[in-house]
Amino acid sequence: MDDAEVSRRTVITAGAWSVPVIALALATPLAAASTGGGTLFVTGNAFGGAGIFLSGSNYNGFDANQTYAVGEIVLTFVLPEGVVFAVDAPGGWVVSVTDNIVSISNGVALPPNETGDLGTFSITGDFPQGSTYTVSSAPAQLNVEYVGNVGGGVFE
């Protein structure tokens, strides 16, 4: 075969590699368009023998380009297993508990402006001092800033 000829295997291989590249190119503008924005400030502390306490948390949506629909913003706390706990949330938040996982989501739509204080939220229980927990948030385009030691880690 001379340099001008292209084998069937070369064409199939090139085609197989081009499909993911085309898919990525098509998906990228959609992902870039869903930038949402806004910042959720989660303020509080976690104490061994007591629990996790949020107060003074707020949403600053002045740089947001969308309203977050009810249930779209979710904070998920994965707590140490085997600890009995109680959850107390303000009226503007919806709570879901499954085993040692507590999720809170916005019970009201959050438009592109400042919400002010979102109210106090607590997960109380006899969590051993030094035990660990994690916190995650969604959606990815929302900026979440943790103030205090409430962003996951160790019960002090």
Side-chain angles (χ1 to χ4, degrees):
M1 173 166 75
D2 66 37
D3 291 339
E5 292 181 32
V6 177
S7 73
R8 182 172 180 253
R9 177 174 290 189
T10 302
V11 170
I12 291 172
T13 302
W17 279 105
S18 67
V19 171
V21 171
I22 292 168
L24 178 62
L26 292 174
T28 301
L30 295 174
S34 63
T35 55
T39 300
L40 178 64
F41 293 94
V42 180
T43 304
N45 287 294
F47 303 105
I52 298 171
F53 303 91
L54 305 181
S55 63
S57 300
N58 67 72
Y59 171 69
N60 180 339
F62 285 121
D63 68 344
N65 59 14
Q66 73 175 57
T67 293
Y68 288 100
V70 172
E72 190 172 0
I73 294 176
V74 180
L75 293 176
T76 302
F77 297 81
V78 179
L79 306 168
E81 293 183 4
V83 177
V84 176
F85 60 87
V87 178
D88 184 31
W93 293 92
V94 177
V95 177
S96 170
V97 178
T98 305
D99 299 324
N100 65 318
I101 301 172
V102 176
S103 295
I104 59 172
S105 61
N106 57 315
V108 296
L110 296 175
N113 60 29
E114 181 79 37
T115 63
D117 189 356
L118 296 174
T120 60
F121 170 82
S122 63
I123 303 171
T124 55
D126 193 14
F127 298 102
Q129 188 169 9
S131 62
T132 61
Y133 68 99
T134 61
V135 181
S136 60
S137 62
Q141 70 265 24
L142 175 68
N143 181 35
V144 178
E145 292 188 23
Y146 297 97
V147 180
N149 75 331
V150 76
V154 178
F155 284 96
E156 293 182 349

